[in-house]
Amino acid sequence: MTGPADYAVVVPTIGRACLDDCLRALAACAGPPPTEVVVVDDRPAPGGALPLGSAGDLRVRTLATGGRGPAAARNAGWRAVDAPWVVFLDDDVRVRPDWRHRLAADLAAADGDTGGVQGRLTVPLPAFRRPTDWERGTAGLEGAAWATADMAYRAVALKEVDGFDERFPRAYREDADLALRVMDAGWSLRRGERVTHHPVRPSDRWASVRAQRGNADDALMNRLHGPGWWTRAQASRGRLPGHLAITGLAGAAVLCAAARRPRAGALAAGLWAAATAEFAWARIAPGPRTRQEVVTMAATSVLIPPLACWHRLAGEVRHRSVRPAGGAR
């Protein structure tokens, strides 16, 4: 028989070095241990052993999902455990020393209608300079609702909605989709008191450009949950309307040039340049304004609007036949 505070931990990973810190912190904290820790290896072609020894005396096992994405990895993990609660941790977080004690209190305080309890994320930022655009983006996780970087779900709630939707291939929107379906099934979600650190992981200057692929996932969210999902999921709407306008101006400039209408083309090009400069400055102004950051923001601000529009269009086409989820409004 299991008690109401029994829980298993599922950690999906692609073999990043930060997994060692994650498991080490989980093993070192005090409080009731998990019934087991399932590390789901989602590397397409594992190139080496995972640092499972960092988990100390905790019971650990691994599963492999072959690079199918975080939604599929988490599904494999929770379906393999028997505990009444499943706690999802990302491999780049570090739980605090009192995390297991606070988790036990969070789960004990959950009433019978509570399907999930979210941990509180903190993102350490530089103390002696302004954060970069990438660092500010990561810091947004502190206010994100139902982020599976640290999220506990009742196993029965996961079973009722069949877990994560594996049509979300990235670590983006798959957690919001699950939360909406769990709430549509009649469960409530709440924030707990446990705290988990989410350090800013290293990245290159093109990370914000690659992130525009998430616009395709927003198209899937619209199909599943309707246009009001932003409010229900407590999510930011982003700048897609502005990106559409900027891309439209660039297209108009090209068309006017092709049609030999130089005045109209110059006007469209000027408006495009002004709008692009505003977008770049909105990203540069709150940052450290170093040479590297300014160059990165200038270059990526030119690329982001058309790529955001392209990925959104691709998502609309790819998901055009998706039927709304049962609770879509």
Side-chain angles (χ1 to χ4, degrees):
M1 295 292 290
T2 57
D6 286 348
Y7 68 98
V9 173
V10 172
V11 184
T13 186
I14 52 174
R16 298 183 294 188
C18 53
L19 175 64
D20 179 81
D21 294 327
C22 175
L23 295 178
R24 195 178 303 278
L26 181 61
C29 62
T35 58
E36 62 179 321
V37 178
V38 179
V39 177
V40 186
D41 186 347
D42 195 45
R43 293 176 291 181
L50 298 174
L52 303 183
S54 303
D57 295 332
L58 298 177
R59 179 189 173 195
V60 181
R61 60 170 162 154
T62 60
L63 301 173
T65 45
R68 292 162 51 206
R74 293 191 189 102
N75 278 342
W78 74 260
R79 288 169 180 158
V81 303
D82 296 323
W85 285 93
V86 181
V87 183
F88 297 105
L89 292 177
D90 283 351
D91 67 354
D92 55 353
V93 303
R94 299 174 190 171
V95 297
R96 286 182 48 167
D98 62 351
W99 183 85
R100 283 173 12 196
H101 275 308
R102 288 181 175 268
L103 171 65
D106 285 344
L107 301 186
D111 60 30
D113 294 327
T114 301
V117 186
Q118 180 182 4
R120 298 180 183 270
L121 300 176
T122 63
V123 178
L125 293 176
F128 302 106
R129 64 164 172 82
R130 295 177 177 181
T132 65
D133 180 71
W134 176 249
E135 290 166 342
R136 295 194 305 275
T138 302
L141 289 170
E142 292 186 343
W146 327 130
T148 40
D150 180 356
M151 184 73 191
Y153 275 105
R154 286 191 192 271
V156 292
L158 292 171
K159 291 176 183 176
E160 186 172 346
V161 301
D162 200 26
F164 292 86
D165 188 332
E166 296 180 15
R167 289 173 293 187
F168 291 92
R170 289 166 284 275
Y172 188 73
R173 301 305 191 204
E174 85 293 353
D175 46 8
D177 166 72
L178 175 63
L180 291 180
R181 288 187 288 112
V182 167
M183 289 188 286
D184 286 337
W187 298 93
S188 63
L189 302 177
R190 68 176 186 85
R191 296 179 187 270
E193 297 301 323
R194 65 190 186 278
V195 177
T196 296
H197 292 303
H198 192 302
V200 179
R201 67 177 183 269
S203 189
D204 59 57
R205 65 171 43 180
W206 305 113
S208 60
V209 173
R210 292 192 298 273
Q212 301 313 307
R213 293 176 293 184
N215 284 281
D217 303 314
D218 285 346
L220 178 54
M221 288 293 288
N222 271 4
R223 297 292 300 175
L224 289 170
H225 302 287
W229 73 266
W230 302 90
T231 301
R232 298 178 59 224
Q234 303 175 42
S236 170
R237 294 199 62 129
R239 293 185 60 127
L240 184 62
H243 295 334
L244 289 169
I246 292 173
T247 304
L249 289 169
V254 172
L255 290 175
C256 288
R260 300 182 183 276
R261 300 181 61 183
R263 289 187 178 181
L267 176 61
L271 291 173
W272 169 84
T276 301
E278 183 279 328
F279 176 44
W281 179 246
R283 302 170 69 209
I284 292 169
R289 306 185 194 180
T290 61
R291 176 183 175 85
Q292 179 177 350
E293 179 74 357
V294 170
V295 170
T296 297
M297 293 299 98
T300 56
S301 294
V302 172
L303 296 173
I304 284 174
L307 285 174
C309 296
W310 168 255
H311 286 298
R312 182 55 179 264
L313 177 61
E316 295 288 354
V317 172
R318 184 182 312 131
H319 302 303
R320 64 188 181 278
S321 60
V322 171
R323 297 175 63 86
R329 289 171 170 80

